[in-house]
């Protein structure tokens, strides 16, 4: 491999790689969520394909980080510092060559200018040593060490292995239907599989906006597990429900379609804009409120309350690999405190005889099972209301305790689900 380094301004595709480097720095050093940081990192890149490449490089580096680092460390006499720019540039180059299918010469040509003024010969040499060995990354990405240990402690070694296997599989695209009576129609038309009334799992990853039914708002994208909380509310028949932390609106639309009079509350005006757009597309209605639940309260209590609480989002790690690098025990504890506060407030807004559904897209007991136990101990006027089999998707069952927990092994033979905890309480 030649060491005649190209001039930076002669390298096609370099802006996308610079943006990927900025994006990874934002996630790994500053702890910013990938989906929020990408806008700032991609400033000046107008082409959609280039922006998609920025996201793909960063996401795959995060997904394969331990495996990439093992290759880098095996090719250096002394380990590079964890935060060394040379290490990050090597990750970017290697993930293109080993995962994204970029020719090795192109991957290194766009990597070397990223270390202008730095150890270019080191980066070039390590990349060449690794790629000449023709390495094959493991089928199941290695989970970050702290994550694997934490999950194994909570759920057992088998769960951690399931999580690693699920990490390598592209998540399916699930649709929630505005009219569950049309389930067979849409499953046939879209060539999908239904695992519950009102649900279709697509067979591939076609552009959803091009599919039949999107423009007329017949369905919206929503993971099967994420649809369970609203399913447990049943038919609304005009009754009042509070959908708390509602954006971007999947559960709001489910509730409105089921006949509830919905008040959707979220503190993010930007995310509520997306909810409003989704309501307009589907022709469904809800009252939308921008507010912090720690200060807001409704004018009157409701027949039902759904709290999809802010959480670590470790349950959606397949779609958002950054969470496994940003979230640790401290953040989980802080979020659990917030969830307890919101759950206690929400309890006061449920009328006697009404229901409260609490959910998190988390694989942490502190944000799920522990919250349910603590809530019942502190609120003797609430009882756990276990779902019946016909309220749940096929092959998803309530636990012996009466709540619903989806793990990486849930429906693994059909593409899996996001990790969720869902519990329904009845106010006596």
């Amino acid at each position: 491999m030649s060491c005649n380094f190209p001039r930076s301004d002669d390298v096609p595709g370099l802006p996308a790689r610079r943006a990927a480097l900025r994006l990874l720095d934002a996630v790994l050093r500053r702890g910013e969520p990938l989906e929020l940081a990408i806008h700032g990192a991609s400033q000046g890149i107008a082409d959609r394909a280039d922006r998609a490449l920025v996201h793909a490089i960063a996401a795959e580096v995060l997904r394969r980080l331990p495996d990439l680092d093992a290759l880098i460390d095996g090719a250096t006499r002394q380990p590079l510092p964890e935060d060394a720019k040379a290490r990050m540039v090597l990750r970017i180059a290697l993930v293109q060559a080993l995962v994204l299918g970029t020719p090795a010469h192109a991957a290194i040509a766009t990597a070397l200018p990223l270390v202008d003024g730095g150890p270019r010969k080191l980066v070039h040499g390590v990349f060449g040593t690794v790629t000449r060995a023709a390495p094959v990354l493991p089928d199941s990405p290695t989970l970050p060490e702290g994550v694997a240990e934490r999950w194994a402690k909570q759920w057992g070694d088998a769960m951690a292995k399931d999580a690693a296997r699920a990490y390598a599989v592209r998540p399916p695209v699930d649709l929630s239907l505005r009219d569950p009576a049309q389930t067979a129609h849409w499953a046939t038309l879209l060539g999908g599989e239904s695992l519950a009334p009102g649900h279709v799992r697509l067979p591939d990853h076609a552009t959803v906006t091009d599919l039949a039914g999107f423009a007329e708002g017949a369905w919206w994208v929503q993971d099967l597990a994420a649809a369970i909380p609203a399913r447990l509310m049943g038919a609304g028949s005009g009754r009042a429900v509070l959908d708390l932390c509602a954006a971007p609106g999947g559960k709001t639309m489910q509730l409105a379609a089921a006949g509830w009079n919905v008040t959707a509350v979220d503190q993010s005006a930007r995310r509520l804009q997306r909810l409003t757009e989704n309501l307009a597309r589907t022709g469904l209605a809800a009252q939308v409120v921008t507010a912090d639940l720690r200060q807001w309260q409704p004018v009157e209590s409701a027949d039902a309350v759904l709290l999809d609480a802010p959480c670590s989002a470790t349950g959606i790690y397949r779609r958002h690999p950054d969470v496994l690098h940003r979230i640790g025990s401290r953040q989980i504890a802080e979020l659990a405190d917030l969830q307890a506060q919101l759950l206690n407030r929400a309890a006061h807004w449920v009328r006697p005889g009404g229901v409260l559904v609490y959910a998190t897209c988390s694989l942490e007991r502190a944000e799920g099972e522990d919250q349910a136990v603590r809530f019942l101990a502190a609120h003797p006027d609430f009882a756990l209301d276990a779902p019946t089999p016909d309220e749940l998707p096929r092959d998803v069952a309530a636990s012996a305790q009466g709540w619903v927990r989806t793990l990486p092994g849930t429906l693994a033979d059909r593409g899996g689900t996001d990790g969720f905890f869902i519990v329904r309480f009845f106010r006596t």
Side-chain angles (χ1 to χ4, degrees):
M1 188 177 291
S2 172
C3 288
N4 293 322
F5 301 133
R7 289 167 49 88
S8 296
D9 52 7
D10 293 337
V11 180
L14 181 58
R17 277 69 176 187
R18 288 199 190 282
L21 183 62
R22 290 193 294 268
L23 182 53
L24 286 164
D25 181 69
V27 172
L28 294 173
R29 189 172 62 84
R30 299 199 298 272
E32 298 178 20
L34 179 69
E35 303 301 330
L36 297 181
I38 191 170
H39 177 73
S42 301
Q43 288 296 308
I45 299 178
D47 185 77
R48 290 180 63 183
D50 285 344
R51 293 176 72 92
L53 177 60
V54 173
H55 185 280
I57 291 173
E60 290 306 320
V61 165
L62 294 168
R63 194 183 312 275
R64 293 287 187 171
L65 197 63
D67 301 316
L68 295 171
D69 281 349
L71 294 176
I72 294 167
D73 292 340
T76 55
R77 290 192 182 93
Q78 294 182 334
L80 296 172
E82 180 66 24
D83 59 351
K85 190 175 186 179
R87 179 182 288 276
M88 189 64 77
V89 170
L90 280 164
R91 291 165 173 167
I92 289 173
L94 288 171
V95 86
Q96 291 176 79
L98 303 180
V99 179
L100 299 180
T102 305
H105 66 86
I108 192 61
T110 52
L112 292 175
L114 301 178
V115 284
D116 273 343
R120 300 183 80 186
K121 288 185 178 180
L122 171 67
V123 170
H124 192 274
V126 172
F127 180 85
T129 298
V130 172
T131 54
R132 280 194 297 272
V136 177
L137 293 172
D139 292 337
S140 298
T142 302
L143 297 175
E145 185 176 358
V147 175
E149 292 176 354
R150 188 174 73 239
W151 286 351
K153 183 177 180 180
Q154 294 180 75
W155 307 106
D157 291 338
M159 179 276 193
K161 292 177 181 178
D162 286 342
R165 281 191 290 268
Y167 212 10
V169 179
R170 191 175 182 184
V173 175
D174 290 325
L175 307 180
S176 287
L177 307 181
R178 185 178 59 198
D179 182 3
Q182 295 293 310
T183 300
H185 165 75
W186 287 110
T188 300
L189 183 62
L190 298 173
E193 175 189 19
S194 177
L195 298 175
H199 164 267
V200 174
R201 174 160 287 184
L202 298 183
D204 53 35
H205 291 78
T207 303
V208 294
T209 54
D210 295 337
L211 296 177
F214 176 82
E216 56 266 44
W219 47 260
W220 52 92
V221 175
Q222 185 179 30
D223 185 81
L224 179 63
I228 294 175
R231 288 180 179 277
L232 298 191
M233 310 301 274
S237 305
R239 294 176 294 160
V241 62
L242 302 177
D243 184 8
L244 308 179
C245 307
K251 299 173 183 64
T252 297
M253 291 184 285
Q254 283 182 277
L255 294 168
W260 290 92
N261 181 5
V262 187
T263 299
V265 186
D266 199 284
Q267 68 175 354
S268 171
R270 180 183 62 82
R271 284 165 55 82
L272 281 176
Q273 177 60 34
R274 184 176 168 194
L275 182 152
T276 302
E277 293 169 356
N278 284 330
L279 288 172
R281 180 175 64 85
T282 57
L284 297 169
Q287 180 184 358
V288 179
V289 178
T290 307
D292 186 333
L293 292 177
R294 291 169 294 185
Q295 282 80 47
W296 180 84
Q297 61 181 25
V299 175
E300 58 183 359
S301 56
D303 298 292
V305 174
L306 193 164
L307 174 60
D308 187 5
C311 70
S312 64
T314 50
I316 55 174
Y317 73 101
R318 296 182 303 165
R319 306 173 197 276
H320 302 281
D322 56 300
V323 300
L324 300 190
H325 301 281
R326 295 187 297 103
I327 298 296
S329 298
R330 178 177 61 82
Q331 291 88 349
I332 292 168
E334 292 172 351
L335 287 162
D337 286 342
L338 174 60
Q339 292 152 11
Q341 293 176 41
L342 299 181
L343 192 50
N344 288 332
R345 285 183 65 78
H348 296 294
W349 305 336
V350 182
R351 292 172 185 160
V355 298
L356 168 62
V357 171
Y358 169 79
T360 55
C361 56
S362 169
L363 288 168
E364 316 300 332
R365 287 184 181 273
E367 300 181 278
E369 289 82 353
D370 294 352
Q371 292 285 6
V373 171
R374 187 181 304 115
F375 177 82
L376 288 171
H379 296 83
D381 54 333
F382 279 85
L384 195 146
D385 186 14
T388 59
D390 62 339
E391 293 179 293
L392 297 174
R394 191 192 326 160
D395 297 328
V396 175
S399 68
Q401 295 87 350
W403 48 62
V404 179
R405 162 60 75 185
T406 59
L407 291 169
T410 302
L411 299 177
D413 59 337
R414 294 193 181 98
T417 69
D418 287 344
F420 254 84
F421 175 83
I422 307 109
V423 62
R424 180 172 60 190
F425 303 108
F426 173 75
R427 187 164 191 180
T428 61

